[in-house]
Amino acid sequence: MRRPVDEVLAAGRAVDWSKLGERPLCDACLGRLFGKVGHGHTNEERGRAIREVAGRAAGPCWVCAGLTARYDALADLVARKLEPWEYDTFRVGSRIDPEVSAREESLWSDLALPAPEPLKAEVNREVGKRVCEAVGKEPDLAAPDIVAVLDPAFDHVDLQVNPLYLRGRYRRLARGVPQTRWPCRRCMGKGCARCGGTGKVY
Ligand SMILES: [Zn+2]
Ligand SMILES: [Zn+2]
C-alpha cells in the first residue's frame, strides 16, 4: 500500500541534492520545497520524511532563520491583537522579508523544483490554524470581517477591519478598569504553554 508520504519521497529522490550545497534547512523549509506535492501533511512532516532522501542534517535554517518554529508565539500575538474586537470571521495574512523570499526562490531554481510552496502561504495557513483554535472563530479566506496582517520579522500585527464591521463593533475598554484575567482559550483553563500552566491569561 502506498503511504501518504510516498509521493513526497519520490519527488525528493528526483532532486540533485548536491545543488543544495552548504545550506542547512529546518524540516518545514525542507518540506515546503515539495509543498504542493501530496495532500494531508504539514510541510514539517514532508521535511521529516524527506530528510533521509536528501541526506542532509537539520541545522540553523538558511531560509527562515527559525521563523517556522515560532508559529505558536506568532499566533498568540495575533490572538491578542484580535482580543478587543467583535467579529465572526478572520483571515491571517503576512509580510515576508523580501530577502527571505529571495533565498527560497534561489533554492527553487537551483534544485529545479516543480511544486514548491512559498513561506508566506505556510505562515498564513499555520498561524491561521493556531489562531482559529485560540479564538474559536472561523477563518474566511474570501471575505473575512478582519484580516490580521502579521510581520514576523518585527512581531507586529496590523488589523484590516472590514468597513461594514467598523460601526460600533469595537468594544472600548473603560479607563481605570483593573486588568482582568480570563480563562485561557487554548486549554480552557486546564493550563498549557500559552498561559504558563496557570489556565488564565491577561
Ligand atoms: Zn526554515
Ligand atoms: Zn492555557
Side-chain angles (χ1 to χ4, degrees), residues 184-201:
C184 172
R185 282 175 305 200
R186 176 169 300 166
C187 63
M188 305 308 273
K190 285 191 289 253
C192 67
R194 180 185 181 228
C195 56
T198 64
K200 295 220 161 73
V201 290

Side-chain angles (χ1 to χ4, degrees), residues 88-195:
D88 294 322
T89 59
F90 74 96
R91 170 168 77 78
V92 171
S94 59
R95 295 192 186 95
I96 300 298
D97 180 346
E99 289 184 23
V100 174
S101 301
R103 286 201 292 276
E104 71 174 350
E105 283 164 26
S106 75
L107 287 182
W108 302 348
S109 66
D110 292 353
L111 299 173
L113 299 168
E117 183 185 43
L119 177 58
K120 185 186 179 78
E122 178 180 302
V123 168
N124 295 353
R125 181 180 59 249
E126 291 297 330
V127 174
K129 215 155 73 179
R130 287 160 173 80
V131 171
C132 179
E133 264 176 48
V135 303
K137 307 269 175 152
E138 288 303 308
D140 180 341
L141 302 186
D145 299 334
I146 300 189
V147 181
V149 181
L150 174 65
D151 188 337
F154 297 96
D155 279 359
H156 182 80
V157 182
D158 275 325
L159 296 184
Q160 298 165 357
V161 181
N162 182 328
L164 294 177
Y165 260 74
L166 268 176
R167 281 191 305 256
R169 293 283 179 148
Y170 187 66
R171 281 186 277 136
R172 289 185 187 283
L173 301 171
R175 277 184 205 175
V177 172
Q179 213 170 21
T180 314
R181 304 195 79 187
W182 305 93
C184 172
R185 282 175 305 200
R186 176 169 300 166
C187 63
M188 305 308 273
K190 285 191 289 253
C192 67
R194 180 185 181 228
C195 56

Side-chain angles (χ1 to χ4, degrees), residues 24-30 32 59-69 71 119 122:
L25 300 176
C26 69
D27 287 336
C29 287
L30 184 59
R32 210 171 51 255
C61 186
W62 181 78
V63 168
C64 76
L67 168 57
T68 66
Y71 292 153
L119 177 58
E122 178 180 302

